[in-house]
Amino acid sequence: MVRNPLARALLLPFSLLYGLGVSLTDFFYRQGLLKGVRFNLPVIGVGNLTVGGAGKTPHIEYLLRLLIKHLDVAVLSRGYGRKTKGFRYVSTRDSAETVGDEPLQFKRKFPEAVVVVVEDRALGIPEMLKSHPEVELVLLDDAFQHRSVKPGLNILLTEYSHPFTRDFLLPAGRLREWPGAYRRADVLIVSKCPPDLSREQAETLLAELQPLPHQKVFFSRYRYGRPYYLLDRRYTTLLENDWEVLLVSAIARTEYLLDFLQTQVAEVKSLEFEDHHYFSRYDVAQIKRHFDHLESPKKIILTTEKDAMRLELHRSYLQKNRLPVFVLPIRVEFLFGQGPEFDELVRQFLLEFKV
């Protein structure tokens, strides 16, 4: 949300106009003038109400990790930021420019999954099934606002520190829809929670979110793994408490990541870019300059998995300048022992699915 009160006030009329358009679209869907397509196979949608930062990618990876050993799974994504258009299968040899950073990350980590980038999911699913009739489950990435497909299970994420209840519509805020749109969700996941979140704190937020009787609510956090070398993931390292770290990121919000790193190393310098930013040659030269200015002899560059997909476009420069760029992997964990309950909810949805 825009923090400057004057700027927010100036943007408010534009937010209201935007909200009028959103309300009109919602009205058309509720009246049946526009309809979402249902398919004869299970579809799970994962999305949020804001323009980023809630953790859709790690939660889709959680579902892939849970289901890929048992089912043939496909992931459909718009491929935000790619320089291509139309329907395209993602391969491990693609680049972020051709398919987008998140779809490439899915394919690299889960090569057995069918990963597709396409603007129109309603057309993309049947097109994908022509070549892959074996697919038994479709995961839709960032599809909460793309209502042309009606998922059988609709999962909505909201960040613990920035819940949708405290935000406002674009451009004054970061919401893509009115907060009341959360009612379309079957499952709410409060993401990026503090590891030590108490039951009392969770109950306070629950009261603020006001879930409907049918909506299940879960609380999740990130568990960070061992950093690996960007250019060869066989080489890993441990974060040490006497290290100085240059964090390079182009994600929606870095607070959660910075909070973690500040407990692990001596000092963190953060070099931040806009979400999904494509690093230029100038940018990577600036990264080198900032790294060279770090005074400690024990220093590394850290980046996120999503940013790594775009940084690797400058592989030759990183190799030539011997920049120690390491990638910090993450996994989703559910708090309060909710993991088995969430897994069972997904399994029951699949078992009870009817064409």
Side-chain angles (χ1 to χ4, degrees):
M1 181 181 288
V2 177
R3 297 185 183 278
N4 185 293
L6 178 59
R8 190 160 63 244
L10 291 173
L11 291 171
L12 186 60
F14 298 100
S15 293
L16 295 176
L17 285 173
Y18 174 78
L20 182 62
V22 169
S23 297
L24 193 60
T25 300
D26 182 62
F27 174 79
F28 288 157
Y29 272 104
R30 285 189 287 107
Q31 296 301 314
L33 300 174
L34 293 174
K35 292 184 179 180
V37 180
R38 287 187 181 272
F39 290 90
N40 61 353
L41 80 168
V43 176
I44 299 177
V46 180
N48 60 6
L49 292 180
T50 63
V51 289
K56 296 181 299 293
T57 301
H59 285 81
I60 288 178
E61 289 181 358
Y62 181 97
L63 290 168
L64 282 166
R65 206 169 283 115
L66 174 68
L67 300 169
I68 198 90
K69 294 179 182 179
H70 312 287
L71 298 170
D72 289 309
V73 183
V75 181
L76 265 70
S77 173
R78 180 173 50 153
Y80 182 83
R82 64 184 172 125
K83 298 182 179 179
T84 59
K85 292 183 178 180
F87 183 96
R88 182 185 177 103
Y89 287 107
V90 180
S91 81
T92 56
R93 297 183 300 278
D94 268 310
S95 71
E97 289 184 323
T98 57
V99 296
D101 47 19
E102 291 158 345
L104 182 59
Q105 181 177 322
F106 294 143
K107 189 63 179 179
R108 295 267 180 89
K109 296 179 79 170
F110 302 93
E112 62 271 48
V114 176
V115 182
V116 170
V117 289
V118 61
E119 290 83 359
D120 189 332
R121 275 84 159 184
L123 297 177
I125 291 177
E127 180 68 22
M128 178 268 299
L129 290 174
K130 289 180 186 177
S131 301
H132 292 277
E134 75 281 2
V135 166
E136 300 168 286
L137 168 68
V138 174
L139 301 178
L140 296 180
D141 172 35
D142 195 16
F144 198 76
Q145 286 73 40
H146 299 274
R147 297 168 66 178
S148 59
V149 175
K150 194 165 185 178
L153 185 64
N154 214 357
I155 299 174
L156 179 70
L157 305 178
T158 189
E159 191 178 354
Y160 176 79
S161 298
H162 304 276
F164 61 81
T165 49
R166 303 174 199 169
D167 212 331
F168 198 71
L169 288 173
L170 291 165
R174 294 176 60 83
L175 290 182
R176 296 187 278 188
E177 293 187 78
W178 293 103
Y182 84 94
R183 296 182 179 90
R184 297 201 309 272
D186 302 300
V187 175
L188 301 178
I189 298 180
V190 181
S191 63
K192 298 166 78 170
C193 293
D196 58 351
L197 182 72
S198 68
R199 288 277 187 180
E200 291 74 19
Q201 290 171 313
E203 290 295 330
T204 298
L205 186 56
L206 268 178
E208 181 178 332
L209 296 177
Q210 297 183 340
L212 301 180
H214 75 278
Q215 291 177 322
K216 299 290 185 181
V217 183
F218 297 88
F219 292 82
S220 71
R221 57 161 287 191
Y222 288 168
R223 180 173 291 280
Y224 292 95
R226 187 166 178 156
Y228 60 87
Y229 181 45
L230 172 63
L231 302 181
D232 189 342
R233 62 181 306 148
R234 293 176 300 174
Y235 298 98
T236 63
T237 187
L238 288 172
L239 296 176
E240 303 288 348
N241 58 16
D242 59 346
W243 280 13
E244 193 170 5
V245 168
L246 175 63
L247 175 64
V248 177
S249 61
I251 57 177
R253 291 192 179 100
T254 58
E255 304 101 300
Y256 193 85
L257 175 54
L258 286 169
D259 287 345
F260 166 76
L261 289 176
Q262 286 162 359
T263 68
Q264 303 296 308
V265 298
E267 189 172 359
V268 182
K269 300 287 179 64
S270 186
L271 187 58
E272 300 179 14
F273 300 83
E274 290 185 1
D275 194 16
H276 294 281
H277 174 76
Y278 276 91
F279 301 101
S280 66
R281 181 65 181 267
Y282 174 79
D283 293 332
V284 291
Q286 288 297 102
I287 292 170
K288 181 182 183 304
R289 184 178 70 82
H290 280 83
F291 179 71
D292 290 342
H293 285 173
L294 297 182
E295 295 179 358
S296 174
K298 297 181 178 180
K299 57 183 181 179
I300 63 167
I301 301 170
L302 272 185
T303 194
T304 69
E305 291 180 289
K306 187 169 78 170
D307 292 314
M309 298 299 106
R310 284 171 275 108
L311 274 174
E312 73 170 23
L313 295 170
H314 300 278
R315 173 181 289 268
S316 60
Y317 182 92
L318 300 177
Q319 285 178 324
K320 179 181 177 181
N321 290 277
R322 298 183 178 180
L323 290 177
V325 181
F326 281 75
V327 183
L328 187 63
I330 57 175
R331 286 195 180 197
V332 165
E333 286 187 355
F334 287 96
L335 299 178
F336 312 125
Q338 290 183 317
E341 182 185 354
F342 177 81
D343 296 354
E344 184 59 24
L345 183 151
V346 173
R347 291 191 186 99
Q348 284 302 313
F349 160 70
L350 295 171
L351 289 171
E352 295 171 5
F353 177 79
K354 295 179 182 178
V355 177

